[in-house]
Every structure is written in C-alpha cells, then in structure tokens.
C-alpha cells in the first residue's frame, strides 16, 4: 500500500530542525492520526508525547532509545517503537521516508 | 480551509534539491492531483510539465518566470501562475509552505 485513501491532510507541513525533518499530518476516516514525512541525513534528538511506531518506507538510520546505550540500525521496510513521554537519538545516513503511527 | 478532506496521499515524499523542497502528492475525490509542500530558504530553478498555480500558505519568496527579467515578491496568502513546459527561478527568503495546483 503506497498511499492512504480517504484521509484528511493538513495543508501546512510540520518543519523541525531547520527542515531536517518535514512531515504532513493526516487523519484517517476512523479518526486515527498519523504523519507522513522525511528526515534528511543528520543526527537529531526527537522527543515523544504519545507512544510512536516509526514505519520506515525507505532510507537508513541508527536509533538509540532514551536510557539505552545501544544503537540499532533500521532500513526501509522496518519499524521501531518509541514509548510515550520519552526520546530517541536518530542518525539518518540515507534520507528516511516514514509513516509515524501514534498511540 | 487548512486541510484537504477525502483525499489520497502518497506515503513517500518527493524530495528535490537535496531536501530544499519536500512535497507529498495528493489526489482529490474527483481525481484532481495536487501537491502540498515546503521550500526551505534557498535559490532554486524549477521546471514545469503541466501549468502550475503555486498557492502560498506562509513564508516569503521572489520569483522570476522564464523569459522575464523581473523578480516579483510573494508572501503567504498569495499565488503565482507558471505556464506548462517552462521554468521559474525562486529565491525563498522565509520557509515557504505551498499547495501546488496542476493543469
């Protein structure tokens, strides 16, 4: 499935870290909120409110969750989970295309 | 209207110019194709296939259409038209949020 159907999409993008991360918010028919976005090559620290599942469509990165000393590599086709009210370091080595699932 | 409803959105973004421009493609219920995106501060040359209307939601830029020597300033709330099979120079001075209407 390369697209979401029957969704609402916010016209204005979310731009984080001087544009290193750009996403658009979408709402599915059932009210579920997600975002679709890109992270350009960089090393960034993201914080979470709600728990997140980051579904990687393409690209490559290493991720270190808060409280962990271990970096784990992920590439397109893989996902990783982040607890709520937490954070993660992400080193993007190849432009990352993702869908972020909340809750 | 801050969002598009009942649309299909392509999960993977279009990334141009090393990420200076990031957009997502959407298709309205009636089949009309548009894109929603961002241009970060930069000076870029875009080429068009179909004619485009660039609707600016926020930000500021100067635009010079192919064949013109004149730069015109635009800010959020304004739009500019570009003929098909043509090009335009755009100097973005403040991150530009836009909807691109084709045809």
């Amino acid at each position: 499935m390369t697209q979401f159907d029957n969704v609402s999409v916010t016209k204005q993008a979310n731009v984080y870290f001087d544009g290193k991360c750009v996403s658009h918010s979408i709402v599915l028919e059932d009210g579920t909120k997600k975002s679709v976005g890109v992270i350009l090559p960089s090393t960034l620290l993201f914080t979470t409110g709600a728990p997140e599942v980051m579904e990687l469509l393409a690209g490559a990165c290493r991720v270190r969750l808060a409280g962990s000393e271990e970096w784990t590599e992920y590439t397109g086709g893989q996902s990783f989970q982040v607890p709520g009210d937490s954070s993660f370091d992400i080193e993007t080595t190849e432009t990352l295309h993702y869908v972020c699932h909340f809750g």
Side-chain angles (χ1 to χ4, degrees), chain A:
Chain A
M1 199 178 63
T2 61
Q3 63 181 42
F4 287 111
D5 293 318
N6 300 314
V7 301
S8 295
V9 57
T10 305
K11 291 182 179 179
Q12 195 157 329
N14 313 301
V15 178
Y16 305 106
F17 304 110
D18 291 329
K20 289 296 183 195
C21 177
V22 173
S23 74
H24 276 86
S25 302
I26 65 173
V27 182
L28 306 196
E29 226 172 352
D30 68 1
T32 306
K33 293 179 182 186
K34 299 184 188 295
S35 69
V36 289
V38 164
I39 304 175
L40 300 172
S42 56
T43 302
L44 302 172
L45 171 64
F46 282 88
T47 56
T48 61
E52 295 180 4
V53 174
M54 285 284 284
E55 176 193 352
L56 307 182
L57 308 171
C61 64
R62 304 194 311 145
V63 173
R64 184 175 61 181
L65 297 179
S68 171
E69 297 194 355
E70 200 178 326
W71 290 85
T72 307
E73 295 190 9
Y74 298 99
T75 60
Q78 297 184 304
S79 296
F80 62 90
Q81 291 192 309
V82 189
D85 297 319
S86 186
S87 66
F88 62 97
D89 293 297
I90 182 166
E91 181 188 344
T92 298
T93 49
E94 212 179 288
T95 296
L96 217 56
H97 292 261
Y98 69 86
V99 177
C100 182
H101 307 265
F102 300 105

